[in-house]
Amino acid sequence: MISSPRIESSRSLQRSLELWVPLYAAGQFLDLEGGPNALDFVQEKKYGEMGECSAVCGGLLAGASDEEIQHLRRYSRAVSVLYQVVDDILKAKETEEKTEGKKKRGKSYVSVYGVEKAMKVAEDLRLQAKRELDGLEKYGDKVMPLYSFVDYAADRDFSIDDQV
């Protein structure tokens, strides 16, 4: 049988995907059925692992080193959870008056800790994601879109009308 780094990466990719899907499902189940102490686990499994899967699979296919894969893994977990935390903050600010007295299913940093704590979590995740990208400095400007995505994930509450 012929073996090459791309074939081995494809096999690793397939194994990775097979492992990540059940973890996402576990996060979804605990989001709906678990207690408030499951929040970090839910965020990590539903959002962090989904992002991690994408980044690690891309890194494997590109031939990234083990150290680079670890940076991509930690970056993607941080930015994926960041995106969701900010999404929850934006939804909370938008629907504050509309949902008074209604109970929402699912767990978020906003529903468990409030908007202020969620905003602190978001800023910590932004810094963590950027620190991980600093470990990929040898790629220079090629990493800039990843930095830009971190800022977009954190600051996407603007609109075109705000800019004019």
Side-chain angles (χ1 to χ4, degrees):
M1 178 173 202
I2 299 173
S3 182
S4 75
R6 291 260 186 224
I7 291 172
E8 288 304 312
S9 291
S10 295
R11 288 186 184 131
S12 295
L13 178 68
Q14 182 179 3
R15 281 186 229 116
S16 297
L17 289 171
E18 289 171 359
L19 293 173
W20 271 308
V21 171
L23 291 172
Y24 176 82
Q28 178 66 20
F29 174 78
L30 284 175
D31 188 18
L32 298 175
E33 304 298 332
N37 294 336
L39 177 62
D40 288 331
F41 182 83
V42 166
Q43 295 291 317
E44 280 292 314
K45 297 304 172 203
K46 281 185 69 177
Y47 308 111
E49 298 233 354
M50 185 171 32
E52 179 184 345
C53 179
S54 299
V56 168
C57 289
L60 288 170
L61 290 173
S65 70
D66 289 344
E67 183 180 342
E68 292 165 340
I69 293 290
Q70 292 308 314
H71 284 295
L72 288 169
R73 182 183 308 280
R74 291 186 298 260
Y75 157 78
S76 58
R77 279 179 172 260
V79 78
S80 297
V81 175
L82 166 64
Y83 192 94
Q84 187 59 42
V85 169
V86 171
D87 194 55
D88 292 339
I89 292 168
L90 294 173
K91 284 179 185 171
K93 287 180 176 181
E94 179 182 298
T95 61
E96 216 166 51
E97 296 94 31
K98 294 179 191 176
T99 59
E100 259 184 64
K102 294 180 183 177
K103 187 171 181 183
K104 180 187 169 226
R105 279 193 82 178
K107 284 157 208 52
S108 70
Y109 284 98
V110 172
S111 67
V112 174
Y113 300 117
V115 171
E116 290 299 317
K117 168 85 175 180
M119 290 172 73
K120 170 75 172 106
V121 168
E123 190 54 36
D124 291 346
L125 289 165
R126 178 201 301 245
L127 295 173
Q128 180 185 349
K130 287 186 174 186
R131 271 194 310 270
E132 292 306 328
L133 292 176
D134 291 344
L136 301 173
E137 64 200 18
K138 80 176 193 179
Y139 294 99
D141 288 345
K142 293 178 182 176
V143 181
M144 289 310 294
L146 298 178
Y147 281 100
S148 294
F149 184 71
V150 173
D151 290 330
Y152 168 76
D155 300 325
R156 67 187 189 279
D157 64 337
F158 71 91
S159 71
I160 298 300
D161 294 336
D162 294 341
Q163 306 300 312
V164 180

